[in-house]
């Protein structure tokens, strides 16, 4: 019986988490339990708040970013506002990226942008959710700035030699959102249909958007 | 030559990238949530820069070998002690208590 199941008195559905519940094994897992219990005992945090925060993050996922990109594909004026002031433009769609500068970068037939955080794991979490493990890995952080084309090839993303690759390094105060190229033959698609072509990786720049059939190009 | 920070990985040689997806565990989610709550208003116990400074001052071996959220929880511990929110003695006692409790639960 895990300790987690004991405090299930708040009557909501936890099924999405069940598969993750395991007994602590590592020192740092015991440390997490100890810190949490002490903070709750000392009324620094409440169990409810921690749970609410976890659930709030569950709701943050790459679809938010995809909505922004889809709008920029169908509305040039919006795209220009997004490129000139990311924070202001995403606020129009109801998204706030607090106390961080948001910079949108447009991928074209001349330039392909790719985002990394060489020092840690800075990522536009409000718009894309929690970063994938590889984004935080030593390998991606080390190599993205040195051999981006090789990294892109590993991701199955073939960018022609004629296209300039520009790698941008995030900081604690500045986050990047890549606007992938709008795929060909999507002129008749609705904004809602376009959203489905915009993947997390296409907004990090390690992939392109899916093609008009929703397949990797 | 200036000494390279342990976190300064840009441009260093490294192997292939493991691109497999990972569903965060409950422990990882809780660490993430607590970090945000402790840093955000109204508590504002520390700034995000302090968080990074603490992670970057981990022992190089610890930094290199730890899982991502392991570094986070070590940084959280460091900051909680530094800010006087928790003491080393109460934390040590709590860790022992948790360990023996989990041990008992297995029997």
């Amino acid at each position: 019986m895990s300790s987690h199941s004991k405090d299930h008195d708040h009557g909501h559905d936890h099924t999405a988490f069940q598969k993750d519940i395991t007994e602590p094994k590592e020192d740092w897992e015991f440390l997490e339990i100890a810190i949490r219990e002490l903070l709750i005992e000392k009324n620094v945090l409440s169990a409810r708040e921690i749970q609410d925060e976890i659930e709030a993050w569950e709701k943050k996922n790459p679809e938010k970013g995809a909505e922004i990109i889809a709008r920029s594909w169908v509305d040039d004026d919006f795209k220009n506002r997004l490129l000139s002031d990311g924070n202001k433009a995403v606020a129009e769609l109801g998204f706030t990226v607090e106390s961080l500068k948001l910079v949108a970068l447009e991928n074209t037939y001349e330039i392909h942008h790719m985002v990394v955080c060489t020092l840690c794991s800075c990522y536009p979490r409000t718009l894309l959710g929690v970063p994938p493990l590889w984004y935080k890995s030593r390998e991606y952080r080390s190599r993205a700035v040195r051999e981006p084309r090789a990294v892109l090839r590993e991701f199955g993303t073939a960018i022609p030699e004629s296209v300039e690759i520009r790698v941008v390094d995030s900081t604690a105060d500045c986050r990047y959102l890549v606007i992938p190229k709008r795929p060909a033959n999507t002129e008749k698609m609705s904004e809602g249909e376009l959203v489905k072509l915009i993947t997390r990786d296409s907004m990090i720049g390690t992939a392109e958007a899916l093609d008009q059939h929703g397949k990797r190009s | 030559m200036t000494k390279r920070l342990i976190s300064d990985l840009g441009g260093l040689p490294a192997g292939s990238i493991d691109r497999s997806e990972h569903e965060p565990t409950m422990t990882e989610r809780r660490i993430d949530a607590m970090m945000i709550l402790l840093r955000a208003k109204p508590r504002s116990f520390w700034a995000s820069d302090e968080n990074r400074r603490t992670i970057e001052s981990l022992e190089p071996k610890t930094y290199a070998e730890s899982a991502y959220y392991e570094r986070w929880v070590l940084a959280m511990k460091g900051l909680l002690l530094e800010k006087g929110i928790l003491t080393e003695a109460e934390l040590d006692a709590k860790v022992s208590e948790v360990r023996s409790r989990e041990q008992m639960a297995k029997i």
Side-chain angles (χ1 to χ4, degrees):
Chain A
M1 198 68 162
S2 77
S3 61
H4 180 79
S5 57
K6 286 175 196 154
D7 54 18
H8 263 191
D9 56 351
H10 43 255
H12 66 169
D13 186 12
H14 268 225
T15 48
F17 298 152
Q18 289 301 320
K19 66 178 179 290
D20 296 323
I21 298 169
T22 51
E23 283 168 11
K25 290 184 202 78
E26 308 279 345
D27 285 349
W28 66 278
E29 294 173 304
F30 286 105
L31 180 60
E32 181 277 325
I33 299 172
I35 289 176
R36 175 165 42 91
E37 291 187 1
L38 275 177
L39 291 176
I40 293 169
E41 278 169 29
K42 300 182 96 179
N43 290 319
V44 177
L45 297 178
S46 74
R48 178 73 263 168
E49 272 181 303
I50 297 170
Q51 190 57 38
D52 285 348
E53 189 61 39
I54 290 171
E55 287 174 18
W57 278 108
E58 295 286 309
K59 296 193 185 93
K60 289 174 184 161
N61 58 60
E63 270 205 17
K64 308 243 190 287
E67 281 175 38
I68 295 163
I69 303 304
R71 175 63 56 88
S72 79
W73 282 354
V74 300
D75 180 344
D76 275 342
D77 290 337
F78 176 77
K79 186 172 79 184
N80 291 332
R81 292 199 294 278
L82 183 62
L83 289 169
S84 62
D85 186 336
N87 298 74
K88 227 189 231 176
V90 303
E92 291 176 34
L93 303 185
F95 302 117
T96 46
V97 182
E98 256 175 77
S99 59
L100 296 166
K101 186 176 164 62
L102 178 71
V103 176
L105 302 163
E106 186 181 16
N107 281 353
T108 64
Y109 287 94
E110 286 84 42
I111 296 177
H112 179 94
H113 296 90
M114 177 174 143
V115 184
V116 64
C117 175
T118 62
L119 289 174
C120 43
S121 56
C122 299
Y123 190 76
R125 288 168 53 138
T126 325
L127 306 178
L128 300 186
V130 289
L133 263 194
W134 57 258
Y135 186 83
K136 307 186 284 194
S137 72
R138 163 174 289 268
E139 290 77 16
Y140 184 74
R141 288 164 54 194
S142 301
R143 293 176 52 213
V145 288
R146 188 192 188 99
E147 42 176 6
R149 283 184 198 274
V151 169
L152 285 166
R153 276 196 297 276
E154 268 182 55
F155 277 80
T157 304
I159 303 294
E161 285 295 327
S162 58
V163 176
E164 180 187 337
I165 310 254
R166 230 174 251 184
V167 179
V168 291
D169 198 354
S170 315
T171 70
D173 311 304
C174 174
R175 306 296 154 96
Y176 297 100
L177 181 70
V178 172
I179 307 176
K181 287 201 309 287
R182 180 171 179 168
N185 307 315
T186 56
E187 296 77 12
K188 295 208 172 77
M189 291 176 80
S190 70
E191 217 174 310
E193 288 169 327
L194 290 171
V195 164
K196 297 192 179 75
L197 308 182
I198 302 157
T199 61
R200 177 194 69 199
D201 289 9
S202 74
M203 293 181 279
I204 303 174
T206 50
E208 297 193 87
L210 302 176
D211 70 13
Q212 77 268 35
H213 307 296
K215 300 263 161 52
R216 286 203 67 160
S217 44
Chain B
M1 208 176 99
T2 45
K3 196 166 160 276
R4 200 177 177 114
L5 276 175
I6 47 173
S7 56
D8 190 4
L9 298 179
L12 293 178
S16 61
I17 298 161
D18 179 354
R19 291 169 44 228
S20 51
E21 295 295 326
H22 163 77
E23 187 67 16
T25 64
M26 264 322 280
T27 303
E28 293 171 341
R29 287 172 212 255
R30 288 191 301 246
I31 293 169
D32 200 287
M34 286 193 282
M35 273 298 228
I36 290 165
L37 289 168
L38 294 167
R39 196 174 63 204
K41 286 175 198 163
R43 294 182 183 83
S44 311
F45 289 136
W46 54 75
S48 67
D49 298 352
E50 294 184 273
N51 184 18
R52 262 193 50 199
R53 184 249 301 156
T54 315
I55 289 178
E56 288 168 2
S57 56
L58 292 172
E59 288 294 320
K61 192 173 168 348
T62 309
Y63 184 91
E65 292 172 4
S66 300
Y68 181 77
Y69 279 104
E70 181 175 2
R71 296 199 288 261
W72 271 44
V73 78
L74 292 171
M76 180 157 60
K77 173 188 168 180
L79 287 163
L80 288 167
L81 297 179
E82 186 184 310
K83 306 290 176 188
I85 299 160
L86 299 181
T87 68
E88 193 116 41
E90 63 188 351
L91 199 47
D92 288 348
K94 188 53 119 177
V95 170
S96 310
E97 182 199 315
V98 172
R99 278 187 180 280
S100 53
R101 192 180 68 205
E102 294 287 333
Q103 196 58 41
M104 290 299 287
K106 278 191 205 160
I107 301 166

